[in-house]
Amino acid sequence: MFPLSYLLFPLLGYLLGSLPFSIWVTRFVKGVDVRDAGSGHATTTNTIRQAGFGWGALVFVLDVAKGFVPTYLAFHTDGVSTLIVSVTAACAVIGHCWPLFANFRGGMGLATAGGSFLAVNPLAFLICLGFLILLVLVVRHSARASVFGGMLAAPTLWLFNIRDAAFWVALGAGLVIAVRFLIDWNRKYRELWLDRDKPSG
């Protein structure tokens, strides 16, 4: 018999991931679509640009929750395999990147991926957060750092000898982020390699 959890948790992950909080917040606060400025994506950074730091922080927390809730439920349900937990996390990130409720035009998925790390191993979340901060300081470009941070999360955890469910969650989420980057390269993400984030002059 095919376990219902094989479909239920990944579906829940995708639906929760599809909640476009940055779009809703900027429309409520400023009456604009967050995707019409900056990188053209529904991200925390774009929300900060258009609605301010406080609203951006709220969006960040909500986007983290989108990854945390379904992954936590799958991880703490008896009989659910690590594979399904990883797929659930990946589906949450897929939902954020290609949201059902926003014409499949979402964000990068990093905050949602972080929420899934937090759900299975808080230490993994802190390590990946620290790695992201380090990348921002070194690269001095938040968009580039986000892309690298998402794709390199799993190797980073491996180096720290974290090879439990958090590693597989990071691997699944990182693959989605990598695909998101590659698909959009010829349209939007070439802008990531420009110096938009750096002050002029």
Side-chain angles (χ1 to χ4, degrees):
M1 182 177 178
F2 189 80
L4 185 60
S5 64
Y6 284 16
L7 294 175
L8 179 62
F9 289 112
L11 179 60
L12 178 63
Y14 178 73
L15 292 177
L16 289 181
S18 289
L19 299 176
F21 291 118
S22 60
I23 296 172
W24 291 342
V25 165
T26 52
R27 282 179 179 169
F28 174 76
V29 176
K30 294 292 184 178
V32 298
D33 190 322
V34 69
R35 298 168 294 183
D36 291 337
S39 65
H41 297 91
T43 64
T44 296
T45 303
N46 260 1
T47 304
I48 292 173
R49 289 191 185 112
Q50 297 190 47
F53 181 82
W55 292 109
L58 174 63
V59 166
F60 174 77
V61 171
L62 292 172
D63 283 349
V64 168
K66 294 193 304 186
F68 179 88
V69 172
T71 307
Y72 181 88
L73 291 175
F75 185 64
H76 289 279
T77 298
D78 291 339
V80 175
S81 67
T82 298
L83 174 63
I84 297 304
V85 174
S86 177
V87 170
T88 298
C91 285
V93 178
I94 290 172
H96 181 82
C97 294
W98 298 281
L100 177 64
F101 309 121
N103 299 317
F104 303 100
R105 288 181 55 214
M108 203 33 224
L110 196 65
T112 302
S116 66
F117 304 163
L118 183 61
V120 298
N121 188 332
L123 178 59
F125 172 79
L126 291 175
I127 289 172
C128 290
L129 179 61
F131 180 60
L132 176 61
I133 293 172
L134 178 63
L135 282 175
V136 171
L137 293 175
V138 172
V139 178
R140 302 186 64 81
H141 193 290
S142 62
R144 294 174 188 170
S146 296
V147 170
F148 289 134
M151 292 191 292
L152 296 176
T156 299
L157 294 180
W158 184 272
L159 290 175
F160 276 88
N161 202 34
I162 295 180
R163 301 171 186 180
D164 56 7
F167 168 79
W168 297 105
V169 164
L171 182 63
L175 287 174
V176 174
I177 291 172
V179 169
R180 174 72 162 117
F181 172 74
L182 292 173
I183 287 176
D184 275 11
W185 171 253
N186 288 322
R187 291 189 297 149
K188 292 289 186 182
Y189 277 162
R190 277 183 296 186
E191 299 176 10
L192 296 181
W193 308 101
L194 303 176
D195 289 331
R196 288 183 298 98
D197 285 6
K198 294 184 179 179
S200 59

